[in-house]
mmCIF file of all heavy atoms in Angstrom:
data_model
loop_
_atom_site.group_PDB
_atom_site.id
_atom_site.type_symbol
_atom_site.label_atom_id
_atom_site.label_comp_id
_atom_site.label_asym_id
_atom_site.label_seq_id
_atom_site.Cartn_x
_atom_site.Cartn_y
_atom_site.Cartn_z
ATOM 1 N N ASN A 94 -110.059 32.415 -39.052
ATOM 2 C CA ASN A 94 -109.498 31.830 -40.254
ATOM 3 C C ASN A 94 -109.634 32.697 -41.512
ATOM 4 O O ASN A 94 -110.068 32.197 -42.558
ATOM 5 C CB ASN A 94 -110.074 30.415 -40.532
ATOM 6 C CG ASN A 94 -109.920 29.494 -39.334
ATOM 7 O OD1 ASN A 94 -108.981 29.659 -38.539
ATOM 8 N ND2 ASN A 94 -110.780 28.544 -39.228
ATOM 9 N N VAL A 95 -109.251 33.961 -41.427
ATOM 10 C CA VAL A 95 -109.292 34.845 -42.569
ATOM 11 C C VAL A 95 -108.156 34.469 -43.525
ATOM 12 O O VAL A 95 -107.021 34.482 -43.134
ATOM 13 C CB VAL A 95 -109.218 36.301 -42.148
ATOM 14 C CG1 VAL A 95 -109.222 37.217 -43.385
ATOM 15 C CG2 VAL A 95 -110.333 36.655 -41.196
ATOM 16 N N GLU A 96 -108.510 34.139 -44.753
ATOM 17 C CA GLU A 96 -107.516 33.702 -45.755
ATOM 18 C C GLU A 96 -107.787 34.355 -47.087
ATOM 19 O O GLU A 96 -108.954 34.581 -47.466
ATOM 20 C CB GLU A 96 -107.568 32.198 -45.960
ATOM 21 C CG GLU A 96 -107.290 31.373 -44.700
ATOM 22 C CD GLU A 96 -107.502 29.899 -44.929
ATOM 23 O OE1 GLU A 96 -108.051 29.534 -45.985
ATOM 24 O OE2 GLU A 96 -107.134 29.111 -44.051
ATOM 25 N N VAL A 97 -106.709 34.565 -47.857
ATOM 26 C CA VAL A 97 -106.807 35.060 -49.237
ATOM 27 C C VAL A 97 -106.245 33.974 -50.150
ATOM 28 O O VAL A 97 -105.217 33.422 -49.867
ATOM 29 C CB VAL A 97 -105.988 36.383 -49.417
ATOM 30 C CG1 VAL A 97 -105.993 36.798 -50.847
ATOM 31 C CG2 VAL A 97 -106.552 37.463 -48.527
ATOM 32 N N SER A 98 -106.962 33.711 -51.230
ATOM 33 C CA SER A 98 -106.479 32.743 -52.203
ATOM 34 C C SER A 98 -106.975 33.096 -53.585
ATOM 35 O O SER A 98 -107.846 33.928 -53.726
ATOM 36 C CB SER A 98 -106.903 31.294 -51.819
ATOM 37 O OG SER A 98 -108.299 31.225 -51.737
ATOM 38 N N GLY A 99 -106.434 32.393 -54.561
ATOM 39 C CA GLY A 99 -106.894 32.595 -55.939
ATOM 40 C C GLY A 99 -108.294 31.972 -56.120
ATOM 41 O O GLY A 99 -108.707 31.085 -55.367
ATOM 42 N N ASP A 100 -109.012 32.397 -57.144
ATOM 43 C CA ASP A 100 -110.368 31.929 -57.392
ATOM 44 C C ASP A 100 -110.627 31.941 -58.891
ATOM 45 O O ASP A 100 -110.114 32.768 -59.606
ATOM 46 C CB ASP A 100 -111.379 32.750 -56.656
ATOM 47 C CG ASP A 100 -112.731 32.111 -56.571
ATOM 48 O OD1 ASP A 100 -112.915 31.279 -55.639
ATOM 49 O OD2 ASP A 100 -113.596 32.411 -57.405
ATOM 50 N N SER A 101 -111.502 31.024 -59.316
ATOM 51 C CA SER A 101 -111.875 30.991 -60.737
ATOM 52 C C SER A 101 -112.964 31.979 -61.082
ATOM 53 O O SER A 101 -113.212 32.282 -62.258
ATOM 54 C CB SER A 101 -112.342 29.580 -61.096
ATOM 55 O OG SER A 101 -113.597 29.312 -60.449
ATOM 56 N N GLY A 102 -113.643 32.515 -60.098
ATOM 57 C CA GLY A 102 -114.745 33.440 -60.354
ATOM 58 C C GLY A 102 -116.061 32.766 -60.702
ATOM 59 O O GLY A 102 -117.041 33.395 -61.005
ATOM 60 N N LEU A 103 -116.051 31.421 -60.662
ATOM 61 C CA LEU A 103 -117.254 30.649 -60.970
ATOM 62 C C LEU A 103 -117.872 30.111 -59.704
ATOM 63 O O LEU A 103 -117.162 29.742 -58.768
ATOM 64 C CB LEU A 103 -116.928 29.504 -61.914
ATOM 65 C CG LEU A 103 -116.309 29.877 -63.245
ATOM 66 C CD1 LEU A 103 -115.896 28.640 -64.011
ATOM 67 C CD2 LEU A 103 -117.300 30.708 -64.070
ATOM 68 N N LEU A 120 -121.768 27.290 -46.233
ATOM 69 C CA LEU A 120 -120.894 28.169 -47.040
ATOM 70 C C LEU A 120 -121.790 29.216 -47.669
ATOM 71 O O LEU A 120 -122.781 28.896 -48.328
ATOM 72 C CB LEU A 120 -120.150 27.410 -48.115
ATOM 73 C CG LEU A 120 -119.452 28.253 -49.189
ATOM 74 C CD1 LEU A 120 -118.338 29.076 -48.557
ATOM 75 C CD2 LEU A 120 -118.923 27.388 -50.304
ATOM 76 N N ARG A 122 -121.377 32.287 -50.346
ATOM 77 C CA ARG A 122 -120.415 32.781 -51.351
ATOM 78 C C ARG A 122 -121.020 34.019 -52.042
ATOM 79 O O ARG A 122 -122.089 33.937 -52.634
ATOM 80 C CB ARG A 122 -120.135 31.707 -52.347
ATOM 81 C CG ARG A 122 -119.074 32.100 -53.393
ATOM 82 C CD ARG A 122 -118.638 30.818 -54.159
ATOM 83 N NE ARG A 122 -117.933 31.124 -55.353
ATOM 84 C CZ ARG A 122 -116.619 31.233 -55.395
ATOM 85 N NH1 ARG A 122 -115.885 31.090 -54.283
ATOM 86 N NH2 ARG A 122 -115.999 31.528 -56.555
ATOM 87 N N LEU A 123 -120.311 35.152 -51.924
ATOM 88 C CA LEU A 123 -120.694 36.367 -52.629
ATOM 89 C C LEU A 123 -119.746 36.523 -53.793
ATOM 90 O O LEU A 123 -118.518 36.641 -53.616
ATOM 91 C CB LEU A 123 -120.565 37.593 -51.701
ATOM 92 C CG LEU A 123 -121.609 37.635 -50.553
ATOM 93 C CD1 LEU A 123 -121.118 36.920 -49.359
ATOM 94 C CD2 LEU A 123 -121.917 39.070 -50.234
ATOM 95 N N ASN A 124 -120.296 36.492 -55.029
ATOM 96 C CA ASN A 124 -119.440 36.399 -56.167
ATOM 97 C C ASN A 124 -120.066 37.116 -57.383
ATOM 98 O O ASN A 124 -121.185 36.798 -57.776
ATOM 99 C CB ASN A 124 -119.206 34.920 -56.504
ATOM 100 C CG ASN A 124 -118.370 34.686 -57.693
ATOM 101 O OD1 ASN A 124 -117.651 35.553 -58.158
ATOM 102 N ND2 ASN A 124 -118.449 33.483 -58.243
ATOM 103 N N GLY A 126 -117.794 37.377 -59.997
ATOM 104 C CA GLY A 126 -116.673 37.042 -60.868
ATOM 105 C C GLY A 126 -115.435 37.772 -60.407
ATOM 106 O O GLY A 126 -115.494 38.904 -59.947
ATOM 107 N N GLY A 127 -114.312 37.092 -60.447
ATOM 108 C CA GLY A 127 -113.058 37.683 -60.024
ATOM 109 C C GLY A 127 -111.978 36.658 -59.918
ATOM 110 O O GLY A 127 -112.179 35.455 -60.175
ATOM 111 N N SER A 128 -110.778 37.074 -59.538
ATOM 112 C CA SER A 128 -109.628 36.184 -59.526
ATOM 113 C C SER A 128 -109.120 35.882 -58.127
ATOM 114 O O SER A 128 -108.193 35.093 -58.001
ATOM 115 C CB SER A 128 -108.506 36.778 -60.391
ATOM 116 O OG SER A 128 -108.109 38.024 -59.841
ATOM 117 N N ALA A 129 -109.670 36.484 -57.086
ATOM 118 C CA ALA A 129 -109.208 36.233 -55.719
ATOM 119 C C ALA A 129 -110.408 36.211 -54.803
ATOM 120 O O ALA A 129 -111.445 36.785 -55.063
ATOM 121 C CB ALA A 129 -108.235 37.332 -55.299
ATOM 122 N N VAL A 130 -110.234 35.468 -53.684
ATOM 123 C CA VAL A 130 -111.310 35.310 -52.726
ATOM 124 C C VAL A 130 -110.772 35.490 -51.336
ATOM 125 O O VAL A 130 -109.674 35.072 -50.998
ATOM 126 C CB VAL A 130 -112.033 33.958 -52.898
ATOM 127 C CG1 VAL A 130 -111.066 32.809 -52.578
ATOM 128 C CG2 VAL A 130 -113.227 33.866 -52.001
ATOM 129 N N VAL A 131 -111.561 36.174 -50.499
ATOM 130 C CA VAL A 131 -111.286 36.270 -49.075
ATOM 131 C C VAL A 131 -112.277 35.341 -48.378
ATOM 132 O O VAL A 131 -113.469 35.458 -48.545
ATOM 133 C CB VAL A 131 -111.475 37.715 -48.521
ATOM 134 C CG1 VAL A 131 -111.264 37.748 -47.024
ATOM 135 C CG2 VAL A 131 -110.528 38.671 -49.247
ATOM 136 N N SER A 132 -111.763 34.363 -47.641
ATOM 137 C CA SER A 132 -112.572 33.388 -46.944
ATOM 138 C C SER A 132 -112.392 33.594 -45.448
ATOM 139 O O SER A 132 -111.305 33.923 -44.965
ATOM 140 C CB SER A 132 -112.158 31.945 -47.260
ATOM 141 O OG SER A 132 -112.268 31.728 -48.642
ATOM 142 N N PHE A 133 -113.470 33.437 -44.691
ATOM 143 C CA PHE A 133 -113.428 33.507 -43.227
ATOM 144 C C PHE A 133 -114.579 32.722 -42.656
ATOM 145 O O PHE A 133 -115.536 32.401 -43.350
ATOM 146 C CB PHE A 133 -113.379 34.933 -42.734
ATOM 147 C CG PHE A 133 -114.564 35.793 -43.181
ATOM 148 C CD1 PHE A 133 -115.732 35.879 -42.427
ATOM 149 C CD2 PHE A 133 -114.460 36.520 -44.346
ATOM 150 C CE1 PHE A 133 -116.788 36.604 -42.837
ATOM 151 C CE2 PHE A 133 -115.526 37.286 -44.786
ATOM 152 C CZ PHE A 133 -116.692 37.364 -44.025
ATOM 153 N N ARG A 139 -118.941 29.386 -43.251
ATOM 154 C CA ARG A 139 -117.774 29.880 -43.953
ATOM 155 C C ARG A 139 -118.282 30.861 -44.984
ATOM 156 O O ARG A 139 -119.223 30.604 -45.714
ATOM 157 C CB ARG A 139 -117.054 28.725 -44.638
ATOM 158 C CG ARG A 139 -115.725 29.117 -45.204
ATOM 159 C CD ARG A 139 -114.904 27.878 -45.563
ATOM 160 N NE ARG A 139 -115.693 26.846 -46.188
ATOM 161 C CZ ARG A 139 -115.522 26.395 -47.419
ATOM 162 N NH1 ARG A 139 -114.530 26.828 -48.142
ATOM 163 N NH2 ARG A 139 -116.281 25.459 -47.911
ATOM 164 N N TYR A 140 -117.664 32.042 -45.084
ATOM 165 C CA TYR A 140 -118.031 33.088 -46.049
ATOM 166 C C TYR A 140 -116.905 33.223 -47.048
ATOM 167 O O TYR A 140 -115.715 33.124 -46.686
ATOM 168 C CB TYR A 140 -118.267 34.407 -45.351
ATOM 169 C CG TYR A 140 -119.458 34.438 -44.453
ATOM 170 C CD1 TYR A 140 -119.392 34.051 -43.106
ATOM 171 C CD2 TYR A 140 -120.731 34.823 -44.922
ATOM 172 C CE1 TYR A 140 -120.509 34.041 -42.292
ATOM 173 C CE2 TYR A 140 -121.818 34.823 -44.116
ATOM 174 C CZ TYR A 140 -121.692 34.438 -42.804
ATOM 175 O OH TYR A 140 -122.832 34.425 -42.010
ATOM 176 N N GLN A 141 -117.269 33.450 -48.285
ATOM 177 C CA GLN A 141 -116.304 33.734 -49.368
ATOM 178 C C GLN A 141 -116.781 34.993 -50.098
ATOM 179 O O GLN A 141 -117.907 35.044 -50.536
ATOM 180 C CB GLN A 141 -116.194 32.577 -50.335
ATOM 181 C CG GLN A 141 -115.591 31.334 -49.727
ATOM 182 C CD GLN A 141 -115.473 30.196 -50.758
ATOM 183 O OE1 GLN A 141 -116.162 30.197 -51.766
ATOM 184 N NE2 GLN A 141 -114.565 29.289 -50.479
ATOM 185 N N PHE A 142 -115.871 35.951 -50.164
ATOM 186 C CA PHE A 142 -116.152 37.208 -50.879
ATOM 187 C C PHE A 142 -115.159 37.264 -52.034
ATOM 188 O O PHE A 142 -113.967 37.396 -51.812
ATOM 189 C CB PHE A 142 -116.033 38.425 -49.962
ATOM 190 C CG PHE A 142 -116.588 39.684 -50.567
ATOM 191 C CD1 PHE A 142 -117.904 40.015 -50.362
ATOM 192 C CD2 PHE A 142 -115.779 40.510 -51.327
ATOM 193 C CE1 PHE A 142 -118.444 41.181 -50.895
ATOM 194 C CE2 PHE A 142 -116.303 41.672 -51.853
ATOM 195 C CZ PHE A 142 -117.626 42.000 -51.652
ATOM 196 N N VAL A 143 -115.610 37.161 -53.272
ATOM 197 C CA VAL A 143 -114.761 37.114 -54.464
ATOM 198 C C VAL A 143 -114.540 38.565 -54.964
ATOM 199 O O VAL A 143 -115.481 39.313 -55.137
ATOM 200 C CB VAL A 143 -115.389 36.242 -55.586
ATOM 201 C CG1 VAL A 143 -114.479 36.200 -56.795
ATOM 202 C CG2 VAL A 143 -115.619 34.832 -55.045
ATOM 203 N N LEU A 144 -113.262 38.886 -55.178
ATOM 204 C CA LEU A 144 -112.869 40.185 -55.635
ATOM 205 C C LEU A 144 -112.138 40.070 -56.970
ATOM 206 O O LEU A 144 -111.640 39.006 -57.336
ATOM 207 C CB LEU A 144 -111.951 40.875 -54.622
ATOM 208 C CG LEU A 144 -112.693 41.170 -53.322
ATOM 209 C CD1 LEU A 144 -112.051 40.450 -52.169
ATOM 210 C CD2 LEU A 144 -112.729 42.661 -53.075
ATOM 211 N N SER A 145 -112.089 41.178 -57.696
ATOM 212 C CA SER A 145 -111.491 41.220 -59.023
ATOM 213 C C SER A 145 -109.969 41.093 -59.018
ATOM 214 O O SER A 145 -109.396 40.696 -60.026
ATOM 215 C CB SER A 145 -111.940 42.476 -59.755
ATOM 216 O OG SER A 145 -111.516 43.603 -59.074
ATOM 217 N N SER A 146 -109.333 41.453 -57.897
ATOM 218 C CA SER A 146 -107.865 41.401 -57.884
ATOM 219 C C SER A 146 -107.352 40.847 -56.583
ATOM 220 O O SER A 146 -107.999 40.999 -55.512
ATOM 221 C CB SER A 146 -107.261 42.793 -58.142
ATOM 222 O OG SER A 146 -107.453 43.611 -57.010
ATOM 223 N N HIS A 147 -106.157 40.268 -56.644
ATOM 224 C CA HIS A 147 -105.528 39.745 -55.445
ATOM 225 C C HIS A 147 -105.170 40.886 -54.472
ATOM 226 O O HIS A 147 -105.280 40.757 -53.231
ATOM 227 C CB HIS A 147 -104.238 38.970 -55.813
ATOM 228 C CG HIS A 147 -103.774 38.047 -54.742
ATOM 229 N ND1 HIS A 147 -104.412 36.869 -54.423
ATOM 230 C CD2 HIS A 147 -102.726 38.176 -53.898
ATOM 231 C CE1 HIS A 147 -103.779 36.283 -53.451
ATOM 232 N NE2 HIS A 147 -102.736 37.044 -53.111
ATOM 233 N N HIS A 148 -104.798 42.053 -54.974
ATOM 234 C CA HIS A 148 -104.476 43.207 -54.159
ATOM 235 C C HIS A 148 -105.684 43.639 -53.333
ATOM 236 O O HIS A 148 -105.575 43.940 -52.124
ATOM 237 C CB HIS A 148 -103.949 44.339 -55.040
ATOM 238 C CG HIS A 148 -103.685 45.630 -54.281
ATOM 239 N ND1 HIS A 148 -102.790 45.721 -53.217
ATOM 240 C CD2 HIS A 148 -104.215 46.842 -54.428
ATOM 241 C CE1 HIS A 148 -102.776 46.927 -52.744
ATOM 242 N NE2 HIS A 148 -103.631 47.667 -53.459
ATOM 243 N N SER A 149 -106.848 43.730 -53.984
ATOM 244 C CA SER A 149 -108.073 44.103 -53.268
ATOM 245 C C SER A 149 -108.419 43.086 -52.173
ATOM 246 O O SER A 149 -108.859 43.422 -51.123
ATOM 247 C CB SER A 149 -109.250 44.203 -54.264
ATOM 248 O OG SER A 149 -109.021 45.302 -55.143
ATOM 249 N N ALA A 150 -108.228 41.816 -52.518
ATOM 250 C CA ALA A 150 -108.505 40.748 -51.547
ATOM 251 C C ALA A 150 -107.587 40.865 -50.340
ATOM 252 O O ALA A 150 -108.071 40.686 -49.185
ATOM 253 C CB ALA A 150 -108.350 39.378 -52.170
ATOM 254 N N GLN A 151 -106.320 41.197 -50.548
ATOM 255 C CA GLN A 151 -105.404 41.375 -49.412
ATOM 256 C C GLN A 151 -105.797 42.560 -48.580
ATOM 257 O O GLN A 151 -105.709 42.516 -47.310
ATOM 258 C CB GLN A 151 -103.993 41.520 -49.945
ATOM 259 C CG GLN A 151 -103.377 40.247 -50.468
ATOM 260 C CD GLN A 151 -102.039 40.441 -51.069
ATOM 261 O OE1 GLN A 151 -101.707 41.498 -51.599
ATOM 262 N NE2 GLN A 151 -101.211 39.429 -50.980
ATOM 263 N N ARG A 152 -106.276 43.666 -49.199
ATOM 264 C CA ARG A 152 -106.734 44.824 -48.434
ATOM 265 C C ARG A 152 -107.977 44.517 -47.631
ATOM 266 O O ARG A 152 -108.077 44.945 -46.473
ATOM 267 C CB ARG A 152 -107.013 45.975 -49.413
ATOM 268 C CG ARG A 152 -105.748 46.560 -49.979
ATOM 269 C CD ARG A 152 -105.947 47.813 -50.883
ATOM 270 N NE ARG A 152 -107.018 48.643 -50.466
ATOM 271 C CZ ARG A 152 -108.025 49.091 -51.273
ATOM 272 N NH1 ARG A 152 -108.056 48.699 -52.504
ATOM 273 N NH2 ARG A 152 -108.925 49.884 -50.798
ATOM 274 N N LEU A 153 -108.910 43.752 -48.169
ATOM 275 C CA LEU A 153 -110.109 43.380 -47.430
ATOM 276 C C LEU A 153 -109.728 42.501 -46.249
ATOM 277 O O LEU A 153 -110.205 42.678 -45.116
ATOM 278 C CB LEU A 153 -111.124 42.677 -48.334
ATOM 279 C CG LEU A 153 -112.383 42.124 -47.609
ATOM 280 C CD1 LEU A 153 -113.117 43.205 -46.816
ATOM 281 C CD2 LEU A 153 -113.316 41.452 -48.586
ATOM 282 N N ALA A 154 -108.865 41.506 -46.471
ATOM 283 C CA ALA A 154 -108.441 40.624 -45.402
ATOM 284 C C ALA A 154 -107.762 41.415 -44.301
ATOM 285 O O ALA A 154 -107.974 41.167 -43.110
ATOM 286 C CB ALA A 154 -107.509 39.536 -45.965
ATOM 287 N N ALA A 155 -106.933 42.370 -44.655
ATOM 288 C CA ALA A 155 -106.252 43.220 -43.648
ATOM 289 C C ALA A 155 -107.264 44.001 -42.842
ATOM 290 O O ALA A 155 -107.128 44.165 -41.607
ATOM 291 C CB ALA A 155 -105.263 44.149 -44.306
ATOM 292 N N LEU A 157 -110.303 43.071 -42.225
ATOM 293 C CA LEU A 157 -111.071 42.110 -41.411
ATOM 294 C C LEU A 157 -110.341 41.705 -40.146
ATOM 295 O O LEU A 157 -110.912 41.444 -39.102
ATOM 296 C CB LEU A 157 -111.456 40.890 -42.219
ATOM 297 C CG LEU A 157 -112.458 41.105 -43.343
ATOM 298 C CD1 LEU A 157 -112.703 39.835 -44.145
ATOM 299 C CD2 LEU A 157 -113.778 41.653 -42.824
#
Side-chain angles (χ1 to χ4, degrees):
N94 302 335
V95 178
E96 299 174 350
V97 175
S98 59
D100 195 84
S101 68
L103 302 173
L120 169 64
R122 184 169 166 90
L123 291 88
N124 180 17
S128 61
V130 63
V131 176
S132 301
F133 57 90
R139 188 167 42 119
Y140 292 89
Q141 293 181 338
F142 193 90
V143 180
L144 294 119
S145 59
S146 72
H147 198 74
H148 175 59
S149 294
Q151 288 175 329
R152 286 182 39 230
L153 175 56
L157 292 176

